[in-house]
Amino acid sequence: MEPVWGCFCDFHKWYDTETWELVERLFGARPPVVQRQRAQMKESFSLKLTWLWEQVRHMPGTIDLETLRQYTRCYIMLLIGGYLMMDKSNNLVHLQWLPLLVDFRMCRGLSWGSAVLAWTYHSLCSAAHRGTTDIAGCTPLLMSSIY
């Protein structure tokens, strides 16, 4: 299995120029707050989990294969941002995960478990700094290891 982190080598090439076009192509819609987010650096390359949830909730009954893929990508981004690789805000998912959802065959062969574990350990290291009051990462994984 290929590590998840190895897929980000070309991410910086399209990160500034084609980001929102890729979001629109992969999810079938563009978030309504894109223009407002340009002024806010933290949220400028993130999707709100509430927007993704609304996309999934309003899935039509009769859909073609491409529309089903779009809704599947929304759901996977919800899982990544809301459960597996959470940040401290707990309401955003970074667009760095987007290249992994372009091709489901490639996505399937990645080592997601080791990526979640590495993100959780990184979050634990960050939480050990003075003044840090919250932790990111997959906290259910931490809680299960306690028991």
Side-chain angles (χ1 to χ4, degrees):
M1 289 193 143
E2 182 182 346
V4 171
W5 307 115
C7 295
F8 295 123
C9 56
D10 293 331
F11 184 71
H12 68 280
K13 292 179 183 175
W14 61 268
Y15 193 64
D16 292 329
T17 57
E18 304 172 10
T19 305
W20 298 109
E21 288 81 14
L22 183 64
V23 169
E24 190 169 10
R25 183 172 60 92
L26 292 179
F27 297 134
R30 190 177 284 221
V33 293
V34 171
Q35 286 75 24
R36 188 169 44 107
Q37 284 182 347
R38 289 184 187 158
Q40 302 169 351
M41 191 59 173
K42 180 182 178 188
E43 295 182 3
S44 61
F45 289 106
S46 299
L47 292 173
K48 292 191 180 283
L49 294 178
T50 54
W51 180 78
L52 288 168
W53 179 244
E54 287 300 315
Q55 291 295 110
V56 172
R57 279 186 21 167
H58 294 96
M59 187 171 85
T62 57
I63 52 176
D64 59 315
L65 189 57
E66 185 55 35
T67 307
L68 184 61
R69 286 186 184 122
Q70 290 170 351
Y71 285 101
T72 304
R73 288 182 187 108
C74 285
Y75 187 73
I76 292 172
M77 284 294 274
L78 275 170
L79 286 175
I80 291 171
Y83 188 72
L84 297 176
M85 314 240 190
M86 295 186 309
D87 64 352
K88 289 182 184 180
S89 71
N90 202 21
N91 65 356
L92 297 172
V93 59
H94 200 275
L95 291 179
Q96 69 185 359
W97 308 111
L98 217 54
L100 301 175
L101 302 179
V102 173
D103 182 15
F104 285 131
R105 289 179 298 240
M106 183 198 66
C107 179
R108 183 178 177 180
L110 298 173
S111 177
W112 285 94
S114 59
V116 171
L117 190 60
W119 178 253
T120 304
Y121 280 141
H122 173 74
S123 301
L124 279 174
C125 289
S126 299
H129 295 288
R130 178 176 291 183
T132 303
T133 59
D134 202 0
I135 188 171
C138 187
T139 52
L141 179 64
L142 292 174
M143 289 187 288
S144 68
S145 68
I146 293 171
Y147 300 107

